[in-house]
Amino acid sequence: VSSNIRVGLLHSRMRVEEKLLRDALVAEGLEVELVDDRELTLTLGEPVRRWDVVLERSVSQTRGLAVLRVLESWGIPTVNPAPVVAACASKLETSALLEAAGVPTPTTIIAFSPEAAVNAAAELGFPVVVKPVAGSWGRLLARLNDRDAAEGLFEHKGTLGGPEHSVFYVQRHIDKPGRDIRAFVVGDEVICAIYRESDHWVTNTARGARTRNCPIDGTLREMTLRAAAAVGGGVLAVDLLEDGDALLVSEVNATMEFRNSIDVTGVDIPGHVARHVRDVARGARVAVAV
Amino acid sequence: MCPECGAPVALHAGVERHEVVSCPGCNTELEVMSVDPPSFYLAALEEVDWGE
């Protein structure tokens, strides 16, 4: 039965996730148009009116966010909303919002010159972790074990990295137990969580980490929902670190990948997302009607 | 046919446009431009803003 809700599925490549999401949307009775962001043109002042809601799945954060900004200006509801995606695209912005909301995160210092970054690392105490302010899939992460390494890395970033790499994001290293936790949020629910296990200190699945189901207890649920709310909520993957008995939120992802998390959790992640997309479209219709 | 090495590339069932496949001849990543008839272009290399 068609609900006559028309979904634009914004994508670049068609990865496993996009195919699963497309199938889940169709299974919910929604009409789906695949929209390749590389072929898309948007004329400002001439709103496209053929989508009731757009699900943004661009592999490029820059393109995805640019499209969302235009759709937002046209009043088209999106999953996720542009401000949420913008908040998650910048680790600095994410950290600032988490701090403002009182969500525990690893101590982070922002510095603006190689020399100041070395001093920040020494202040935190080695080892420290350095991340690009914008980045994903574990790219360009560095763990610095001593001052010599810090001086070398920050000089290279300052000299070779371009302006965006001259904002130095330096974070206390958390001696996690060979894993981190990724919790999946859809709307106001934590639908499942996984451990990402690796012998390497970087535990991204894009870097080969193994996944295992993580039971959701009250603390994990509460921390995850607080982190999601801090960036504006929606469909989000919240990454958490175990620091002894404490949980710290390290980052929040707005265009989450989940291919390795369905089987281990037994949760129909794309189905949850599809129903959320439907609800967002229906909510917008109700708002217009009121 | 792979645009890099010219090897024939067979598509498995269910493959669709914009999916990325590997050339069996040279392992180059190819993006499917058309399923029927099969055609490909070289998949873009990962860029710094790609991700979640």
Side-chain angles (χ1 to χ4, degrees):
Chain A
V1 179
S2 173
S3 60
N4 292 322
I5 291 176
R6 301 161 302 173
V7 183
L9 175 53
L10 184 72
H11 68 93
S12 311
R13 297 174 169 185
M14 284 296 284
R15 298 170 292 180
V16 174
E17 281 83 0
E18 284 70 51
K19 294 171 76 172
L20 290 171
L21 286 167
R22 186 266 320 276
D23 294 347
L25 290 162
V26 170
E28 288 297 325
L30 310 182
E31 297 175 17
V32 180
E33 178 188 350
L34 298 177
V35 182
D36 184 341
D37 60 16
R38 297 162 298 182
E39 298 172 352
L40 185 64
T41 58
L42 302 169
T43 304
L44 302 184
E46 297 179 17
V48 175
R49 292 298 181 205
R50 64 179 188 274
W51 308 309
D52 296 302
V53 61
V54 169
L55 175 59
E56 187 270 311
R57 293 290 312 177
S58 291
V59 72
S60 157
Q61 294 180 337
T62 310
R63 283 201 299 269
L65 186 54
V67 173
L68 291 175
R69 290 289 192 207
V70 176
L71 299 179
E72 179 185 45
S73 75
W74 291 343
I76 297 174
T78 59
V79 176
N80 287 304
V84 175
V85 175
C88 295
S90 160
K91 289 186 174 64
L92 171 53
E93 194 165 338
T94 305
S95 294
L97 290 168
L98 292 173
E99 286 289 345
V103 178
T105 64
T107 304
T108 303
I109 299 180
I110 309 300
F112 304 96
S113 73
E115 297 76 16
V118 171
N119 292 334
E123 181 182 331
L124 285 171
F126 295 102
V128 297
V129 172
V130 178
K131 301 178 178 180
V133 169
S136 191
W137 294 345
R139 270 191 312 268
L140 300 179
L141 301 187
R143 181 168 69 181
L144 305 180
N145 292 328
D146 57 33
R147 189 177 188 97
D148 288 345
E151 289 175 352
L153 177 79
F154 293 134
E155 182 183 4
H156 278 77
K157 282 175 72 75
T159 305
L160 303 173
E164 70 276 16
H165 288 285
S166 292
V167 175
F168 300 92
Y169 181 102
V170 189
Q171 197 166 67
R172 182 169 79 88
H173 175 260
I174 305 300
D175 191 18
K176 59 191 179 188
R179 67 187 188 193
D180 71 359
I181 297 172
R182 165 161 290 197
F184 294 91
V185 176
V186 177
D188 55 7
E189 188 183 355
V190 183
I191 60 169
C192 59
I194 56 167
Y195 290 117
R196 303 190 298 182
E197 300 173 332
S198 176
D199 297 330
H200 196 278
W201 70 276
V202 177
T203 46
N204 294 66
T205 53
R207 296 275 289 265
R210 302 170 299 277
T211 59
R212 188 162 61 84
N213 184 54
C214 172
I216 302 170
D217 64 15
T219 304
L220 176 57
R221 177 177 289 105
E222 185 213 340
M223 194 75 77
T224 300
L225 290 176
R226 285 175 61 196
V231 300
V235 175
L236 298 162
V238 178
D239 295 342
L240 304 101
L241 306 173
E242 297 162 277
D243 184 20
D245 293 333
L247 279 178
L248 304 174
V249 174
S250 63
E251 55 187 78
V252 186
N253 300 277
T255 316
M256 66 198 197
E257 291 156 15
F258 50 81
R259 70 182 69 177
N260 299 316
S261 305
I262 298 172
D263 288 345
V264 295
T265 62
V267 173
D268 176 16
I269 298 172
H272 280 273
V273 175
R275 288 186 285 279
H276 178 77
V277 169
R278 178 200 63 197
D279 292 345
V280 166
R282 284 181 177 166
R285 284 184 179 179
V286 169
V288 169
V290 169
Chain B
M1 182 177 290
C2 173
E4 183 78 356
C5 73
V9 182
L11 293 178
H12 59 80
V15 167
E16 49 191 88
R17 189 167 180 253
H18 295 308
E19 205 167 324
V20 172
V21 299
S22 289
C23 169
C26 64
N27 279 331
T28 298
E29 286 199 327
L30 305 173
E31 185 166 334
V32 178
M33 191 160 51
S34 160
V35 174
D36 187 18
S39 64
F40 310 91
Y41 47 74
L42 297 178
L45 296 175
E46 181 179 326
E47 296 184 27
V48 293
D49 70 333
W50 285 17
E52 299 184 87

